[in-house]
Amino acid sequence: MTPLLVPPKVPETRSDRVVLRDISWSTYQALVLELESQSGKHLTYDRGTLEISMPLPPHERFKSWLRRIIEIATEELEIEICSLGSCTWSREDLQKGLEADKCYYIQNESRIRGKMQIDLTVDPPPDLAIEVDISSPSLPRLPIYAALGVPEIWQWNGKQIKLLQLVQGRYVERSQSLALPSLNSEDIDRWLLEAQSMGETSWAKAVRQLGCGVWGVGCGELGRGNYSLFTSYALPLYIGTYALPLYLVGVNGR
């Protein structure tokens, strides 16, 4: 009898990602370590299936804008956070792992403060993760986040933000953030739209100013007051016998 020839498994490929099947946990962990220094590659693992993705510039832009929104809000609201970037989260007992685009400890910040090693079998997962899904992943990531117990995901699909909260093992869309209740999807959508037509520094200042008005707090640094309306005051500065004008700049209404 002629033996049957089994063709080798061909990886599923797209321009920005590749999917591999029948990958062992040890191989996945070895790749995590091997690619640790290559920030442009993200790994997602689910029970033997491994996806390697290479984020494109639009993905990185929206990720950066969402990061700035979170940092501005927590600074002005004086909320302590722990930012862990695109950290790898995995559990061998679940045979699942992934790298968030960005992730944060907020409610549980004090529990992991100072820890260099976090074990999800004993430590809490991040309170918030950012997912930019402009091009749909081949390997669904939300079920992995749910298995790891991440309470909230901010998912940007290229058109709008979805604030997803974990409820009985599945994510449900809400209009208000769980980790940062002062933020809502309407404001975030508007800020992301504005970011696409503004310089990033000017945009971040505008978000800080507008956010402080919404949150009812006084903005720190240059966020205070109206950026376009400044008042200058001239006071004499005496150096020896010479009087020179010293200009002090203040923000109108402060």
Side-chain angles (χ1 to χ4, degrees):
M1 178 181 293
T2 303
L4 295 175
L5 297 179
V6 179
K9 294 187 177 181
V10 179
E12 300 173 22
T13 60
R14 282 170 33 186
S15 61
D16 62 341
R17 66 193 69 234
V18 59
V19 177
L20 305 172
R21 308 289 179 181
D22 300 327
I23 303 299
S24 68
W25 181 261
S26 59
T27 299
Y28 162 57
Q29 291 294 300
L31 284 170
V32 169
L33 294 176
E34 180 69 22
L35 299 177
E36 186 176 12
S37 61
Q38 301 184 34
S39 58
K41 294 182 174 62
H42 291 177
L43 305 182
T44 304
Y45 184 83
D46 191 359
R47 296 169 295 182
T49 300
L50 175 66
E51 179 180 271
I52 305 174
S53 62
M54 289 69 73
L56 300 176
H59 176 282
E60 296 301 285
R61 285 192 175 190
F62 282 102
K63 179 180 76 172
S64 177
W65 292 330
L66 286 166
R67 172 186 63 82
R68 294 291 290 269
I69 290 172
I70 290 172
E71 291 175 355
I72 289 170
T74 53
E75 286 170 5
E76 297 303 335
L77 293 168
E78 299 186 354
I79 297 173
E80 294 291 350
I81 63 172
C82 176
S83 307
L84 290 177
S86 299
C87 184
T88 298
W89 302 102
S90 62
R91 282 183 54 174
E92 184 175 6
D93 58 328
L94 300 176
Q95 291 286 294
K96 297 179 185 292
L98 48 64
E99 298 171 16
D101 285 321
K102 291 290 181 183
C103 59
Y104 302 88
Y105 280 92
I106 303 174
Q107 280 73 21
N108 285 304
E109 182 275 335
S110 61
R111 294 181 60 184
I112 54 88
R113 186 181 299 174
K115 283 193 173 186
M116 295 297 106
Q117 298 292 331
I118 298 176
D119 181 355
L120 291 186
T121 62
V122 293
D123 296 314
D127 297 297
L128 174 62
I130 291 176
E131 278 290 298
V132 178
D133 293 333
I134 296 177
S135 58
S136 300
S138 302
L139 187 59
R141 290 166 61 87
L142 288 182
I144 301 176
Y145 277 115
L148 296 176
V150 177
E152 182 173 12
I153 309 292
W154 286 12
Q155 184 185 61
W156 172 257
N157 62 12
K159 296 181 180 179
Q160 64 178 15
I161 193 75
K162 292 184 178 181
L163 309 185
L164 305 175
Q165 297 172 18
L166 189 61
V167 179
Q168 297 180 349
R170 57 186 293 267
Y171 285 103
V172 178
E173 186 174 359
R174 296 284 189 260
S175 61
Q176 189 174 26
S177 173
L178 176 66
L180 296 169
S182 295
L183 295 178
N184 61 68
S185 57
E186 182 179 354
D187 287 338
I188 297 171
D189 270 334
R190 184 173 69 254
W191 292 334
L192 290 176
L193 179 62
E194 292 168 349
Q196 298 174 57
S197 61
M198 295 179 66
E200 187 167 339
T201 300
S202 298
W203 169 79
K205 289 180 178 180
V207 169
R208 189 180 297 272
Q209 181 181 5
L210 292 171
C212 288
V214 172
W215 308 323
V217 297
C219 285
E221 300 178 1
L222 290 179
R224 294 192 174 102
N226 188 324
Y227 288 102
S228 60
L229 300 175
F230 289 87
T231 301
S232 61
Y233 306 89
L235 298 177
L237 172 65
Y238 289 92
I239 302 178
T241 58
Y242 297 95
L244 302 177
L246 171 64
Y247 288 94
L248 302 178
V249 179
V251 182
N252 284 350
R254 304 291 298 183

